[in-house]
Amino acid sequence: MILEIDNLVKHFPVGGGFPFGGSKGEVKAVDGVSFGIGAGETFALVGESGCGKTTIAKLILLLEKPTAGRIVFDGTDLTNLNSRQVKEYRRNAQAVFQDPYSSLNPRMKIRDILAEPIRAHQTMGRKDLERRLDEVLEIVGLPERAKRNYPHEFSGGQRQRIAVARALTLNPKFIVLDEPISALDVSIRAQILNLLEDIQKELGLTYLIIAHDLALVEHVSTTVGVMYLGNLVEIGPTAQVFDDPQHPYTQALLAAVPRPDPKHGLSEQLATGEIASALNPPSGCKFHPRCPHVMDVCSQTYPELRRIGESRAAGCHLLEEQSA
Ligand code: SF4
């Protein structure tokens, strides 16, 4: 495993506000999540907005500190790094964010945008720097002359290519792709996806993709983790999870996606109701107020993840009933 997440917790305190202050409680954004990502794999985290997937990405990128738990990258525990180790980790772990319109500084030329990570991490002569910038631009399919321009002179797809090029400048092993195509025009999404897949094969990269678009996840990921209100409720090889989802929430998510196979058409299992709040989550199984299969035990006891076969797991009391 290149990345191991072990019982990761992130709670955000919520203040009582002016004038009395105090704490009103805490948002359990990530509430005990464990999974591993193998080298060369594309692991997808999916779930509705507020499920905790973006918080996990921020914790992995060291943009937030965990409340508890461990993140281990290539054998090193990220929760206790000194500043030299943080720098080394940042060389190896890069990110591409959703919106190439806001992630590129509009006042900087592409040369400076691409050179910024290199300058922050190493000393490189001018010629070597230019050569490296030309290399990454070529990898993402942009001409060398792009260095002389500003972000506003490029289309959305080209800007996302520049964001990918910037992520590649330090030769990382691992890239977090946070909704990498959702802000782009539909007509160019496939190009960016193909580019990311080609780069992964060529450079042997590992990806963690954060996405709400299940068609995208099915297309690009090897393993998928489904999150609901801070917990992982199902995990396994993407093809198996999409073909035969075990958790009622995964079933509901997939049922809501129009797919050509009639086996996967809209079903009565579509979850109804609003997603509950991570500030005051339901007791027991957090999905129980929306679940079409809810039983008495569901509101009382949290269903731990149970292994299903060799490589899958899901957390639902129905699975315990079936194996009893
Ligand atoms: Fe539904 Fe109960 Fe399973 Fe939760 S544990 S998903 S409420 S059946």
Coordinates of all heavy atoms in Angstrom, one line a residue, residues 4 31 49 56 61 69-70 72 89 94 113 137 156 166 193 196 218 221 235 253 266 280 286 303 307 318 322:
E4 N -2.0 4.5 3.6 CA -2.9 3.7 4.5 C -3.6 4.7 5.5 O -2.9 5.5 6.1 CB -2.1 2.7 5.3 CG -1.7 1.5 4.5 CD -0.8 0.6 5.2 OE1 -1.3 -0.2 6.0 OE2 0.4 0.7 5.0
D31 N -15.4 10.3 10.7 CA -15.8 9.7 12.0 C -15.3 8.2 12.1 O -16.0 7.3 12.4 CB -17.3 9.7 12.1 CG -17.7 9.8 13.6 OD1 -16.8 10.0 14.4 OD2 -18.9 9.5 13.9
S49 N -22.7 15.5 -1.1 CA -21.9 16.6 -0.5 C -22.1 16.6 1.0 O -23.2 16.3 1.5 CB -22.4 17.9 -1.2 OG -22.8 18.8 -0.3
I56 N -11.4 14.3 3.9 CA -10.3 13.3 3.9 C -9.2 13.7 2.9 O -8.0 13.6 3.3 CB -10.9 11.9 3.5 CG1 -11.8 11.4 4.6 CG2 -9.8 10.9 3.1 CD1 -12.4 10.0 4.4
L61 N -3.7 15.8 2.3 CA -2.8 16.8 1.7 C -2.2 17.7 2.8 O -1.6 18.7 2.5 CB -3.6 17.7 0.7 CG -4.0 16.9 -0.6 CD1 -5.0 17.8 -1.4 CD2 -2.8 16.6 -1.4
G69 N -6.4 9.3 14.7 CA -6.2 8.3 13.6 C -4.8 8.6 12.9 O -4.1 9.6 13.3
R70 N -4.5 7.8 11.9 CA -3.2 7.9 11.3 C -3.3 7.9 9.8 O -4.2 7.2 9.2 CB -2.3 6.7 11.7 CG -1.9 6.7 13.1 CD -0.7 5.7 13.3 NE -0.8 4.5 12.5 CZ 0.3 3.8 12.1 NH1 1.5 4.2 12.4 NH2 0.1 2.7 11.4
V72 N -0.6 7.0 6.8 CA 0.7 6.5 6.5 C 1.0 6.5 5.0 O 0.2 5.9 4.2 CB 0.9 5.1 7.1 CG1 2.3 4.6 6.8 CG2 0.7 5.1 8.6
Y89 N 7.3 15.1 1.7 CA 5.9 14.5 1.4 C 5.2 15.3 0.3 O 4.7 14.8 -0.6 CB 5.1 14.5 2.7 CG 3.7 14.1 2.4 CD1 3.3 12.8 1.9 CD2 2.6 15.0 2.6 CE1 2.0 12.4 1.6 CE2 1.3 14.6 2.3 CZ 1.0 13.3 1.8 OH -0.3 13.0 1.6
Q94 N 0.7 15.4 -4.7 CA 0.2 16.7 -5.3 C -1.3 16.6 -5.5 O -1.9 15.6 -5.2 CB 0.9 16.9 -6.7 CG 2.4 17.2 -6.5 CD 2.7 18.6 -6.0 OE1 2.1 19.6 -6.5 NE2 3.5 18.8 -5.0
I113 N 3.7 30.0 -12.8 CA 2.8 29.0 -12.2 C 3.4 27.6 -12.1 O 3.4 27.0 -11.0 CB 1.4 29.0 -12.9 CG1 0.7 30.3 -12.7 CG2 0.6 27.8 -12.5 CD1 -0.6 30.4 -13.5
L137 N 4.7 20.4 -20.0 CA 3.8 21.0 -20.9 C 3.5 20.0 -22.0 O 2.4 19.8 -22.5 CB 4.3 22.3 -21.5 CG 4.1 23.5 -20.5 CD1 4.8 24.7 -21.1 CD2 2.6 23.8 -20.3
G156 N -11.1 26.5 -20.5 CA -11.2 25.7 -19.3 C -10.4 24.4 -19.3 O -9.7 24.0 -18.4
R166 N 1.3 21.5 -13.5 CA 1.9 22.0 -12.3 C 2.0 20.9 -11.3 O 3.0 20.8 -10.5 CB 1.0 23.1 -11.7 CG 1.6 23.7 -10.5 CD 0.8 24.9 -10.0 NE -0.6 24.5 -9.7 CZ -1.5 25.3 -9.3 NH1 -1.3 26.6 -9.2 NH2 -2.8 24.9 -9.1
L193 N -10.0 13.3 -18.9 CA -10.0 12.0 -18.3 C -8.9 11.1 -19.0 O -8.2 10.4 -18.3 CB -11.3 11.3 -18.4 CG -12.3 11.7 -17.3 CD1 -13.6 10.8 -17.4 CD2 -11.7 11.6 -15.9
L196 N -5.5 12.1 -18.0 CA -5.1 11.6 -16.7 C -4.8 10.1 -16.7 O -3.9 9.7 -16.0 CB -6.3 11.9 -15.7 CG -6.5 13.4 -15.4 CD1 -7.8 13.6 -14.6 CD2 -5.3 13.9 -14.5
E218 N -17.0 5.0 -12.2 CA -17.0 3.7 -12.8 C -16.0 3.6 -13.9 O -15.4 2.5 -14.1 CB -18.4 3.4 -13.3 CG -18.6 1.9 -13.9 CD -20.0 1.6 -14.3 OE1 -20.7 2.5 -14.6 OE2 -20.3 0.4 -14.4
S221 N -12.0 4.4 -11.9 CA -11.4 3.9 -10.7 C -11.2 2.4 -10.7 O -12.0 1.7 -11.3 CB -12.1 4.4 -9.5 OG -13.4 3.8 -9.4
I235 N -16.9 -0.6 0.5 CA -15.6 -0.4 -0.2 C -15.4 -1.7 -0.9 O -15.7 -2.8 -0.5 CB -14.5 -0.1 0.9 CG1 -13.2 0.1 0.2 CG2 -14.4 -1.2 1.9 CD1 -12.1 0.7 1.1
L253 N -27.6 5.2 -4.4 CA -26.8 6.1 -5.3 C -26.8 5.6 -6.7 O -27.0 6.4 -7.7 CB -25.4 6.1 -4.8 CG -25.0 7.1 -3.6 CD1 -23.5 7.0 -3.4 CD2 -25.3 8.5 -3.9
L266 N -33.7 2.7 -12.7 CA -34.2 3.4 -11.5 C -35.0 2.3 -10.7 O -35.8 1.6 -11.3 CB -35.1 4.5 -11.9 CG -34.4 5.8 -12.3 CD1 -35.4 6.8 -12.9 CD2 -33.6 6.4 -11.2
N280 N -25.4 16.7 14.1 CA -26.3 15.9 15.0 C -26.7 14.7 14.2 O -27.9 14.5 13.9 CB -27.4 16.8 15.4 CG -28.1 16.2 16.6 OD1 -27.6 15.3 17.2 ND2 -29.3 16.7 16.9
K286 N -26.3 5.7 10.5 CA -26.6 7.1 10.2 C -27.6 7.2 9.0 O -28.2 8.2 8.8 CB -25.4 7.9 9.9 CG -24.5 8.1 11.2 CD -23.2 8.8 10.8 CE -22.3 8.9 12.0 NZ -20.9 9.4 11.6
P303 N -23.6 -0.2 12.6 CA -23.2 -1.4 11.9 C -21.7 -1.3 11.4 O -21.4 -0.5 10.5 CB -24.1 -1.5 10.7 CG -24.6 -0.1 10.4 CD -24.4 0.7 11.7
R307 N -16.6 -7.9 6.3 CA -16.0 -8.4 5.1 C -17.0 -9.1 4.2 O -17.8 -9.9 4.7 CB -14.9 -9.4 5.4 CG -13.5 -8.8 5.2 CD -12.4 -9.8 5.3 NE -11.2 -9.2 5.2 CZ -10.7 -8.7 4.1 NH1 -11.3 -8.9 3.0 NH2 -9.5 -8.1 4.1
L318 N -28.3 -5.7 7.6 CA -28.9 -6.7 6.7 C -27.9 -7.8 6.5 O -28.2 -9.0 6.3 CB -29.3 -6.0 5.4 CG -30.6 -5.3 5.3 CD1 -30.7 -4.7 3.9 CD2 -31.7 -6.1 5.7
Q322 N -28.2 -11.8 7.0 CA -28.1 -12.8 6.0 C -27.1 -13.9 6.3 O -27.2 -15.0 6.0 CB -27.6 -12.1 4.7 CG -28.7 -11.3 4.0 CD -28.2 -10.3 3.0 OE1 -27.0 -10.2 2.7 NE2 -29.0 -9.4 2.5

